[in-house]
Amino acid sequence: MATKLFYGPHEDQWGDLYLPDPGGAAPRGTVVVVHGGYWRDKYSAELGTAAAEDLVGHGFAVWNLEYRRAGSDGAPGAGGWPTTFEDVAAGIDHLATVAGPSGLDLHRVALLGHSAGGHLAVWAAGRHLLPPDAPGAGPAVLPAGVVSQAGVLDLAAAERLELGEHAARNLMGGASAERAEPFALADPARALPIGTPVHAVHSRTDDTVPFAMSADYVAAARAAGDPAELHEVGGDHFAVIEPDKEAYRTCRRLLERLLP
């Protein structure tokens, strides 16, 4: 059973904390689940529930994170730049507050993000390199690695391809030509190298986020010296978050590699 904890005053600043059986062994590590949905507020942390329940059953503590998202269907949202990024950073760092009472080891934390959540998870793994005044700078929790599930790992490409009906512009509050600095700070593809392992899991038949997003990111990351790996799986865009699919089980095995 999960415990809902708030990391800020807004109604969307919360996460569900799942802990393994308290009578058993200590958690093998903590997985922060960052859900997708093209950063729009019509999608919520419910997208991460199935993975969270599966992972806690395999001995992980899980922090299924909600955050303020950009608007949907023409209506304004509470998130977007920089709020969404500040929330993801604050939500991950909140583990430092709950670690002691919950028995969590802050040196054994991995991030798992799907689609737009993959973008946010990989961005968060590079927070230690952000300028001091940038949103999300100065992390209190440094992840051991990231598993990106069909992640939107190149924000400039997402804008160019008009993915999710201009989802990148919706997130950032405008086009990159007008908001060059925020786009640069928000784009994982512009942050290399980050020095953190990134496992990009993606299907060539994904018709929501192109396979090239992961393939190109991993190629650039490896060229920059990062320990990034590409893992090709089958299925559609959502197979990587469905515990009964082999694509998802690949993600779980990679988390077990990151948190052995």
Side-chain angles (χ1 to χ4, degrees):
M1 181 177 294
T3 301
K4 186 174 184 178
L5 301 174
F6 283 85
Y7 61 86
H10 192 273
E11 63 181 359
D12 289 336
Q13 291 178 305
W14 58 271
D16 278 334
L17 181 64
Y18 296 75
L19 298 174
D21 182 355
R28 64 187 304 165
T30 302
V31 178
V32 180
V33 176
V34 188
H35 73 84
Y38 274 132
W39 309 284
R40 289 191 168 101
D41 58 8
K42 63 182 177 180
Y43 303 100
S44 73
E46 290 183 2
L47 287 169
T49 298
E53 292 177 346
D54 174 78
L55 291 170
V56 75
H58 285 80
F60 294 98
V62 186
W63 181 224
N64 187 23
L65 190 63
E66 188 58 280
Y67 50 90
R68 286 174 286 182
R69 287 89 69 209
S72 303
D73 304 322
W81 175 269
T83 308
T84 294
F85 297 82
E86 292 170 338
D87 278 7
V88 170
I92 294 171
D93 286 350
H94 192 65
L95 287 174
T97 299
V98 303
S102 303
L104 306 181
D105 183 348
L106 294 180
H107 298 291
R108 298 182 58 76
V109 175
L111 310 181
L112 176 69
H114 174 238
S115 194
H119 158 264
L120 292 169
V122 175
W123 168 83
R127 290 169 52 209
H128 58 290
L129 298 176
L130 289 170
D133 58 346
V141 176
L142 297 173
V146 184
V147 176
S148 167
Q149 303 166 294
V152 185
L153 302 184
D154 187 329
L155 205 58
E159 181 194 26
R160 184 175 68 252
L161 296 170
E162 301 180 2
L163 295 186
E165 299 179 345
H166 301 285
R169 292 188 183 188
N170 189 55
L171 169 71
M172 300 304 296
S176 59
E178 304 153 356
R179 300 183 57 75
E181 183 178 0
F183 261 83
L185 291 171
D187 195 344
R190 301 276 295 275
L192 298 168
I194 61 173
T196 304
V198 173
H199 293 280
V201 183
H202 217 131
S203 170
R204 287 185 187 272
T205 58
D206 188 328
D207 61 2
T208 301
V209 176
F211 177 79
M213 277 277 179
S214 291
D216 292 350
Y217 175 87
V218 169
R222 291 177 67 87
D226 271 349
E229 295 182 19
L230 177 66
H231 305 270
E232 183 176 347
V233 294
D236 62 13
H237 184 63
F238 296 97
V240 287
I241 64 171
E242 297 172 352
D244 63 336
K245 300 294 196 323
E246 179 59 27
Y248 168 82
R249 291 191 286 269
T250 294
C251 300
R252 190 177 65 219
R253 288 192 291 268
L254 291 169
L255 290 169
E256 291 168 347
R257 278 180 55 186
L258 290 171
L259 301 172

